[in-house]
Amino acid sequence: MPEIKVTPLGAGQDVGRSCILVSIAGKNVMLDCGMHMGYNDDRRFPDFSYITQNGRLTDFLDCVIISHFHLDHCGALPYFSEMVGYDGPIYMTHPTKAICPILLEDYRKITVDKKGETNFFTSQMIKDCMKKVVAVHLHQTVQVDDELEIKAYYAGHVLGAAMFQIKVGSESAVYTGDYNMTPDRHLGAAWIDKCRPNLLITESTYATTIRDSKRCRERDFLKKVHETVERGGKVLIPVFALGRAQELCILLETFWERMNLKAPIYFSTGLTEKANHYYKLFITWTNQKIRKTFVQRNMFEFKHIKAFDRAFADNPGPMVVFATPGMLHAGQSLQIFRKWAGNEKNMVIMPGYCVQGTVGHKILSGQRKLEMEGRQILEVKMQVEYMSFSAHADAKGIMQLVRQAEPDNVLLVHGEAKKMEFLKQKIEQEFHVNCYMPANGETVTLLTHPNIPVGISLGLLKREMALGLLPDAKRPKLMHGTLIMKDNNFRLVSSEQALKELGLAEHQLRFTCRVHIHDTRKEQETVLRVYSHLKSVLKAHSVQHLPDGSVMVESILIQATAHSEDPGTKVLLVSWTYQDEELGSYLTSLLKKGLPQAPS
Amino acid sequence: MAAHLKKRVYEEFTKVVQQQHEEIASKKLRLTKPSKSAALHIDLCKATSPADALQYLLQFARKPVEAESVEGVVRILLEHYYKENDASVRLKIASLLGLLSKTAGFSPDCIMDDAINTLQNEKSHQVLAQLLDTLLAIGTKLPENPAVQARLIDVACKHLTDTSHGVRNKCLQLLGNLGSLEKNVAKDTEGLATKDVQKIIGDYFVDQDPRVRTAAIKAMLQLHERGLKLHQTIYNQACRLLSDDYEQVRSAAVQLIWVLSQLYPESIVPIPSSNEEIRLVDDAFGKICHMVSDGSWVVRVQAAKLLGSMGQVSSHFLEQTLDKKLMSDLRRKRTAHERAKELYSSGEFSSGRKWGDDAPKEEIDTGAVNLIESGACGAFVHGLEDEMYEVRIAAVEALCMLAQSSPSFAEKCLDFLVDMFNDEIEEVRLQSIHTMRKISNNITLREDQLDTVLAVLEDSSRDIREALHELLCYTNVSTKEGIHLALVELLKNLAKYPTDRESIWKCLKFLGGRHPTLVLPLVPDLLSTHPFFDTAEPDMDDPAYIAVLVLIFNAAETCPTMPALFSDHTFRHYAYLRDSLSHLVPALRLPGRKLLSSPVSPSITPHEDPSQQFLQQSLERVYNLQHLDPQGTQELLQFTIRDLQRLGELQSDLAGVADFSATYLRCQLLLIKALQEKLWNMAAPLYLKQSDMASAAAKQILEETYKMEFMYSGVESRQVVIIHHMRLQAKALQLIVTARTTRGMEPLFGMCEKFLQEVDLFQRCFITELPHLQDSFVDKLLDLMPRLMTSKPSEVVKILQATLRQSTFLHLPLPEQIHRATATIIEPAGESDNPLRFTSGLVVALDVDATLEHVQDPQTIVKVQVLYPDGQAQIIHPKPSDFRNPGPGRHRLITQVYLSHGAWTEPCQIEVRLLLAYDSSTRISRAACLDGAEALPLVENSIEGTIPFSKPVKVYIMPKPARR
């Protein structure tokens, strides 16, 4: 029985180090190759030894697909390809290919230069790894080999994020990566056609959440920034380099434009600047508004947002600064925070989740006195705000995607087990499809019922169509023919052709039946009576009286002879071929009932 | 073989016979213009290859064919059709047949048989489809012929089983367009059982080709459009189509469901998977709501649009569309809207500054959470958050329509609309502001909502700000803080965009008028009065101070206790503003100064405004004087005109009437003055150019009459008669003046002729109105008409002169509603000292922004004129899309005018103004139509011209010589 096997090496009932193995119709595909934020030991990367103990990965895997550039989806890639060793193709979209190495390099720097780890991948390894990457376009069908093909769909979430359809013959699976069903300021919503895959592997970060409208959040954010700036205060927005930072930049930029505001906006140099460059380039991946207006002006060419210089922090007057990192644990954002924290006119807005132990988490939980290094006490007088800008689909969004794609089975990854449980139950209940949620290392096996294509000759098809009355779409139809299985394909041909092809002689199968009729008259008269009777009953068929004294109904022959013993009984000989079985048996049963009494 | 050949010959022979038969018919016709069809015939015979023939046909198709020669042409085409082997040529012929049968004045029933015959032998699917299209054209031309229709339907049914989707499409189209409306008609004409067109079309809902499915649904919709009542049974079929794979099918199915829901709103349908039943309209509403989250945006737009027109849906379902139960980690969460509402009701101002402020509260039962509801849940929430702005706009529109019909829904959708004010696309923002204005009588804004609304006042787009001002005019605010907030924000807006002055003042006028009790407690604060100390007198010219005063005075109109809070200078300022900005400041009953008219006769005419009375009285006075001494008449007229003009300035609602009457009186005054001139006293004609005064008067009267006719909206035919009458008098005057000042008779002949023609035209146009013109100039003239026709020009002039002097002054009845068209150019402001520099010979674009009031159909009649210092004038026709319609009777013109000129040495000013173009023929013929007179052939008599109706604005420009 054909089957699809799925084994998550990471992200099974967990968030982080997404890595899912799918084998479908004999092809093995690895979806994503991420790292885990929470660990610093071996657990940070997926256990690739699971795939093969001592063989080469390249022999086992047909391809690797990376859905987007977040490190929990691509962080282990150089390790996997260069250190473990994989030389096969790696597929990702163009923006992902462009931005991914920047992030990997940054990640490498932090781990090696800052934390002083050894035995980590090098810059050269990142470069080598990227050479193995094949970039794909949206909705482009890429033939990995003769049978395996993949296709990317738009996923929202971050620039270049894609969902991938993997297809072998008529069996297919869709992997969503991370996606967002509601559009935001710079990206559109995820979309997929009714591709009806056998399996849909979807993320489930917000399996138990239904979110409020994005507009309220945006409005609150803008209002807070606007009020502070009007008061003459400074606003600090700590962000991670990519993704949300751009969304917030666009949001503020358009707001400044709309409201004719003059206060300067800065973002800290480094990563963001380099990434912005790519955002400018990949306009086709952004949302409707940006795509429509970029002819006049590229929205990412910010008019009001300028690069930040360390010295600007001391400038008087209002300003807004985006600074990395997002959790205020180190770097520029923390420096600026220390400078501005003392003034109650200022404000810091945390646009995302903060890990425990960071300054960001402390101030969010209401701590007003912070102990900095060197036993300094920093009193926080500035306002602290929290705004969640997250780009994952919520429970409704996930359900919407399932509805759009109409899969036969759903598999949940990238979420917490408890939350998945709820969504699983919902999906089974609403769509009546099987839903799975394997843990890491656990294998799910699905049986599939792939269609087997059979070729049919046009002549036969037309002939059979002509027999039916109305073309009735999407309903099974019975037809006669011969199935030939030859050279690994199937063909349905008419029996004559089959005989010809196989070089066989045609055999005729004939049924003959005798029907006894009590009739004292002469044979010819009996025949005539039979003829007139059949003629009156079988209006739709051609009934002929042949000159040799027999009756033909279509191709069925009826002859009458006198019974050798009893002249009062006539024997009717009915003979028909195998093809006319239906009519023939009907005819005999008709004749067995006897002839109607003649009027004479 | 021989037998086979013989058979073929036989076949061909029958065909020939058939054609001969047709040709006999065509011979009978005797084409009057054989050239056309003959030429075609020759061309087609000449054609050696199909490509050639196609070329000839294409050429032929470019020229129109007269109705009488159509049949002949059709015969020739058909003849060629039978001979032609190439499918593409046959296709072209088939399409030509369709085109020809559409020719006006040609009845295509004679070619129908042939067209149907051709169908029988046709093999090519494309040609078949084209032929069916031709039949459709024929069928639609003969809507009154049931036999034809039945026959065509027969043909369509026969070809429905064709394998090509194109043919099936056309057949369905044919059925949709021609399917019989009444069953009994079908019974009569067909011997067979009645064909149930709906059943046949319905069968094709499950066709294998999506295009055919779409065509089937469209055909069904077509039947509905033609007034056939669709069966309710289709509903289930249509619902199944909603989950079709193809977007065009889904889109059409949504429409069909909507149609059915309008037809059978009250019938009951079962809910699958439960034994409950609901109304069909509710069910359909739920289904369409579901489509708002469809994968294709085309379907989403369609669904969102249709939702708006489902007014019959029950409120329970309606309110679900705005419901989206939030949860976080399986615990119920309140939406930001709910939180805002709660904060408001608890009397606490937003403190939402804590992380986890929106922390979820109670646990929810996992079983009860329905993630994809079958019902309407959250449809609008999704629609308003959609990626495509087209969907968002459609959703906003739908919201508007539903809110207009249901006040409770209006209240609920407010939060969502307010949110839309922050959309990234300006069009959406604008649309939602307009929507809010439309439903504003149903709603009261909460403070937090008002806050969001007001935040948009800082928008840099003028359209948005003005729409918002308009909205604030109609908004109900619940608290005095709200009013204060609004005022503060408006003043901020004023400071930021001083050009919004007028709009903001107007907005405050209504805001004050609507909320007198809320303004009252704010007054001391706003006027910064102090119980003990005198405060400094604010600057009277400060627009912000004026804005505050406008708010207060309008509130004071219905709140008599308010003036007690005013300080002395406020009263003085009131007097000043009442005079200078009378349209913004109402008349107040102030202690110590009584309103002039209040004690006069409040009991007699309580409903009538004193100023209205004044207007009536002064007009009455003028009309009463018939034969006063000329001096007295002139003086009285002058005074009355002055009064009226002043009245018009003071009372904005009477401005139209006052101006209109004043203009008329001025004409009369000019006429009297012209007739008083010394010139007339001399016996002999003076061949001098000294009678400038009279001819100038005549010219001016003419101009004024055009203004009266075309610049005022609401002018009725009664007034038009008087205006034309006045114009006729002016023309008579012109004729007399010319007669007296020119030497020689020749030019007079022409003028007399023309004048008499015009009198004739006048009589014909206004024949029904003539009885009202007793004793007037024209009345007398018409009596003398036979004499005039025969006499010499000099005689005519004499008679005219006498009648003109004797004729009485006609009473101008005042129309109910009359408004003068006005235009104000906002941009360019005309105050800039910096010349607009550009290279001579090249073009510079000048942004023009103007508001137009009471202009009907501005797209066609409003022009922009640019006057260069050298006297060169240029008239620019703005594009229709440059006009916007922000409110009833108001238009806004935002356009660009391209200027160019040769090099100047100095910067100089050009003038820009708006013109109203008129065309006298339209008005006359319209009047004629009203009066039921026959159409007038005198088109050449029409006068086209333009009236300037805005103040000219000077723009400083400087074309520089091009650098080499």
Side-chain angles (χ1 to χ4, degrees), chain B residues 217-218 221 225 242 249-261 288 302 306:
Chain B
I217 302 173
K218 292 245 167 84
L221 289 170
E225 244 163 61
L242 283 180
V249 181
R250 292 200 300 269
S251 168
V254 169
Q255 277 182 49
L256 185 59
I257 288 201
W258 177 79
V259 164
L260 286 166
S261 77
I288 296 179
Q302 179 77 266
L306 291 177

Side-chain angles (χ1 to χ4, degrees), chain A residues 364-433:
Chain A
L364 277 180
S365 45
Q367 222 170 307
R368 279 310 190 177
K369 288 213 164 111
L370 298 173
E371 196 175 328
M372 311 305 280
E373 61 255 43
R375 307 213 151 238
Q376 257 176 288
I377 299 285
L378 180 67
E379 201 176 343
V380 182
K381 284 187 186 155
M382 77 197 297
Q383 296 174 54
V384 179
E385 299 287 348
Y386 173 74
M387 276 283 127
S388 150
F389 282 88
S390 177
H392 289 274
D394 64 358
K396 272 209 156 178
I398 296 170
M399 298 299 268
Q400 207 180 328
L401 188 89
V402 174
R403 187 160 75 96
Q404 272 182 18
E406 296 190 1
D408 300 332
N409 298 283
V410 178
L411 190 140
L412 303 177
V413 293
H414 201 279
E416 290 161 37
K418 218 176 74 197
K419 298 181 180 177
M420 280 183 177
E421 197 69 53
F422 164 78
L423 192 67
K424 173 175 183 283
Q425 176 206 337
K426 281 290 150 196
I427 289 174
E428 283 174 347
Q429 187 184 321
E430 301 269 348
F431 299 108
H432 310 289
V433 297

